[in-house]
Amino acid sequence: SLYSWASTLSITLLALMTGYYTGGYATTKTKTSTPKAIFLVFLISGLMVMLQPSLGRTVMQETIKLPFFTGIILSQLIFLFPPVFLMGMMSPMIIEQINQTVQRAGKSAGNIYAISTFGGILFTLLFGFLIIPKYGISLPVILLGAFVILFSAVLLLRQKISVPMGLVLALIILAQFRQAYVSYQEYSPIHAKGESLVEYSEGLLGEISISNQNLKSPDGRPFKARMLKVNNVMQNQAVLNYPKASLVYYVNFIRNLVGQLPKKESALIVGLGAGNIYSDMQLYNIDVETVEIDQRIYDYGVKYFKMKPHPEKSHITDGRYFINTAQKQYDIIVLDVIVGENVAKQLVTLESFKKMYELLPDQGTLIIEHGGIQDFSKNKFVPSLHKTLGQAGFEVSMFNPVKAPNNRYGDVLFVATKNKPIDKNNIFVAEDMLLSAGPISQYEVFLNDFDTSVPAELLTDDKNKTDILLRDHYLHIREKRN
């Protein structure tokens, strides 16, 4: 979110600032004004990098219990600050070593900072576009830290350090590498009783896990379920023996709704989840295209939730990019991107909704899901989204598939249409394990169910307060997870 980025950047700059100052001070001391000191700092920084994945998880588990801003700043001070601080120290120390005359000082400093910045650009591009999407973050960081350690160890050996010191360093390096790798191999996001891990991976969206659970039906009969989690937050849940059957309220509600829409020959789903909405639309012979930013989501939907493979109709790209460049209309657009902490806020702006308005025919329908709300009365995001949809030209209705008492918690399903509102009294829900039979009007919620104490914000590309409006929602998601 906006807060995590602001915290990360500020802690990084703080670490560099103090590292530059400390490195400059170290050059004034005889013992630390040597190549050996530089290589030792480099080695320690590599150790800190290599330990980041395991250290980060431990730190986050503890600091999540603290107040939000305290926790986010303190956690990054503990596991992000040290390696960046140590690497910041190296620039002035290297500059001091290569300066032979005062006249060359400026050129030397410029060269060092240029090389350092170039390295940052190169590795940002490599990790952002190639390494993280394919291999995740933990293993590449461990290997990168190991490379830094080995490289600095070689440089230290060339300084002819003593044999005892060399042996001690070798033992420390081997022990830390083993600890980092074992921690990586043994890590599991599954902690709940009766839940077993099926598959786990890291990539573009972060951590994705597939697990099986032991559950009971409303009448007390035990059965097994399958769950998809992103960053340890549930995204979907289905019956293990029939994984196309979702156990999520809004998915079943959408299945009932879509079957009774006046126009439903084609559909676009942005945010694939486990693929249950796609599978449900196949029941109505709808021509469906899907957009998902992470290839793993599509692959897991096919492998674990029996979604029909549709590579020619699947687009692995950013949803807003696809919306902006789409050249055809769809009778139904489903926007399922406001779940947990992975909110694609670029998709919920006025400019984005205007483009979606153009992609829908006169009888077209836009469906947007906002799930996991713990307290409607404190949610400021829903009124803002409602206002933004209205400003884009839509007629907007809202429903809570969970049908909680007094609408205090649950999901909010936005159903936006062109020209006239959806006919709520002539669309019915069939009874199942989650939903009760009747017209969808019995599930309707209204703006006064939410926090309207201040005027709703219009969400635009230029002024998008999604993260700020969803802050309490993020915190509730994390509190529920822990």
Side-chain angles (χ1 to χ4, degrees):
S1 70
L2 173 66
Y3 301 108
S4 59
W5 277 114
S7 172
T8 301
L9 292 173
S10 61
I11 296 301
T12 299
L13 292 173
L14 176 65
L16 288 173
M17 178 191 76
T18 53
Y20 293 151
Y21 177 83
T22 306
Y25 179 78
T27 63
T28 65
K29 304 297 180 181
T30 304
K31 288 185 177 181
T32 53
S33 183
T34 63
K36 187 182 295 186
I38 297 173
F39 303 149
L40 189 59
V41 169
F42 196 32
L43 187 145
I44 297 172
S45 70
L47 282 171
M48 297 303 300
V49 169
M50 190 170 66
L51 293 174
Q52 271 194 308
S54 56
L55 179 63
R57 292 187 183 110
T58 302
V59 170
M60 292 298 182
Q61 288 290 343
E62 295 302 318
T63 55
I64 196 71
K65 303 169 186 176
L66 300 175
F68 180 67
F69 288 105
T70 304
I72 198 169
I73 296 294
L74 184 59
S75 63
Q76 298 206 3
L77 279 173
I78 294 172
F79 84 93
L80 177 62
F81 182 93
V84 179
F85 167 80
L86 291 167
M87 291 180 182
M89 282 183 63
M90 293 178 59
S91 294
M93 294 174 74
I94 295 173
I95 291 169
E96 192 271 340
Q97 287 294 314
I98 65 176
N99 280 339
Q100 297 176 356
T101 64
V102 175
Q103 288 79 9
R104 290 174 55 89
K107 182 179 179 181
S108 299
N111 288 340
I112 294 300
Y113 285 112
I115 292 169
S116 173
T117 304
F118 174 76
I121 294 169
L122 177 63
F123 273 80
T124 298
L125 291 172
L126 284 174
F127 269 72
F129 285 89
L130 296 175
I131 295 174
I132 292 177
K134 189 169 184 178
Y135 302 104
I137 187 69
S138 295
L139 185 59
V141 165
I142 290 171
L143 295 176
L144 181 63
F147 172 78
V148 170
I149 291 167
L150 292 174
F151 184 64
S152 56
V154 170
L155 295 175
L156 270 174
L157 290 174
R158 294 180 63 184
Q159 295 296 310
K160 297 180 180 179
I161 61 174
S162 64
V163 173
M165 177 63 74
L167 290 174
V168 169
L169 284 176
L171 288 173
I172 292 174
I173 291 169
L174 289 172
Q176 294 303 319
F177 180 77
R178 181 182 181 280
Q179 172 61 32
Y181 189 71
V182 168
S183 176
Y184 167 76
Q185 287 286 88
E186 295 181 351
Y187 173 72
S188 172
I190 304 304
H191 304 289
K193 185 178 180 181
E195 186 176 358
S196 59
L197 184 65
V198 177
E199 184 159 340
Y200 168 83
S201 66
E202 295 180 358
L204 193 61
L205 280 179
E207 299 179 345
I208 297 182
S209 66
I210 304 293
S211 62
N212 291 339
Q213 299 172 296
N214 297 320
L215 298 180
K216 288 186 178 181
S217 64
D219 59 6
R221 289 182 297 173
F223 71 97
K224 286 189 176 293
R226 175 157 288 168
M227 181 186 291
L228 167 70
K229 292 182 182 178
V230 175
N231 295 322
N232 225 3
V233 176
M234 190 191 80
Q235 305 297 305
N236 199 23
Q237 193 177 43
V239 178
L240 181 60
N241 292 333
Y242 187 62
K244 289 184 180 182
S246 176
L247 297 172
V248 176
Y249 286 90
Y250 80 86
V251 175
N252 292 316
F253 191 90
I254 289 176
R255 182 182 65 246
N256 282 270
L257 171 64
V258 165
Q260 299 169 72
L261 290 177
K263 193 169 179 61
K264 52 177 182 294
E265 294 178 3
S266 62
L268 175 67
I269 301 175
V270 182
L272 188 55
N276 290 100
I277 294 177
Y278 175 88
S279 297
D280 286 343
M281 287 191 174
Q282 294 293 296
L283 299 173
Y284 305 113
N285 296 317
I286 300 173
D287 181 23
V288 187
E289 292 184 49
T290 62
V291 180
E292 177 56 58
I293 198 168
D294 196 319
Q295 178 69 47
R296 295 173 300 159
I297 295 290
Y298 173 87
D299 294 340
Y300 289 172
V302 172
K303 184 176 181 180
Y304 295 112
F305 294 88
K306 303 302 180 184
M307 178 179 69
K308 181 182 177 182
H310 54 281
E312 72 288 349
K313 297 283 187 177
S314 170
H315 308 277
I316 307 300
T317 186
D318 176 77
R320 177 66 184 274
Y321 170 78
F322 185 87
I323 291 293
N324 285 348
T325 57
Q327 298 296 316
K328 59 179 286 189
Q329 286 193 321
Y330 301 91
D331 297 328
I332 304 167
I333 297 177
V334 177
L335 202 60
D336 192 4
V337 296
I338 316 175
V339 179
E341 300 168 313
N342 298 287
V343 177
K345 62 182 181 180
Q346 72 274 14
L347 278 163
V348 293
T349 66
L350 178 62
E351 293 83 354
S352 178
F353 289 145
K354 283 183 176 180
K355 180 62 178 175
M356 292 181 206
Y357 190 91
E358 296 173 3
L359 295 179
L360 290 167
D362 285 343
Q363 290 185 303
T365 306
L366 170 62
I367 301 170
I368 304 173
E369 201 280 327
H370 175 22
I373 304 175
Q374 302 301 305
D375 189 341
F376 280 20
S377 65
K378 294 182 180 178
N379 188 290
K380 299 181 179 68
F381 178 69
V382 168
S384 291
L385 191 58
H386 189 284
K387 178 178 180 178
T388 306
L389 283 166
Q391 194 73 21
F394 286 105
E395 297 287 340
V396 186
S397 300
M398 299 186 296
F399 305 92
N400 179 9
V402 178
K403 201 179 179 183
N406 301 318
N407 288 321
R408 293 188 60 188
Y409 61 89
D411 302 336
V412 174
L413 203 71
F414 295 84
V415 181
T417 52
K418 300 172 75 168
N419 304 322
K420 63 179 182 179
I422 188 171
D423 189 353
K424 295 182 281 286
N425 292 314
N426 287 314
I427 294 179
F428 294 86
V429 173
E431 186 167 359
D432 62 18
M433 188 165 65
L434 300 176
L435 305 175
S436 56
I440 64 169
S441 56
Q442 66 179 324
Y443 291 89
E444 191 170 11
V445 294
F446 305 93
L447 280 177
N448 58 14
D449 292 315
F450 301 89
D451 186 353
T452 55
S453 58
V454 294
E457 298 274 357
L458 186 67
L459 304 174
T460 65
D461 287 343
D462 182 57
K463 190 178 180 183
N464 190 336
K465 292 189 175 182
T466 295
D467 282 335
I468 297 172
L469 295 170
L470 281 172
R471 190 184 74 170
D472 289 338
H473 174 66
Y474 292 149
L475 293 176
H476 281 305
I477 289 289
R478 278 287 151 187
E479 288 169 1
K480 185 180 180 182
R481 170 194 171 276
N482 284 282

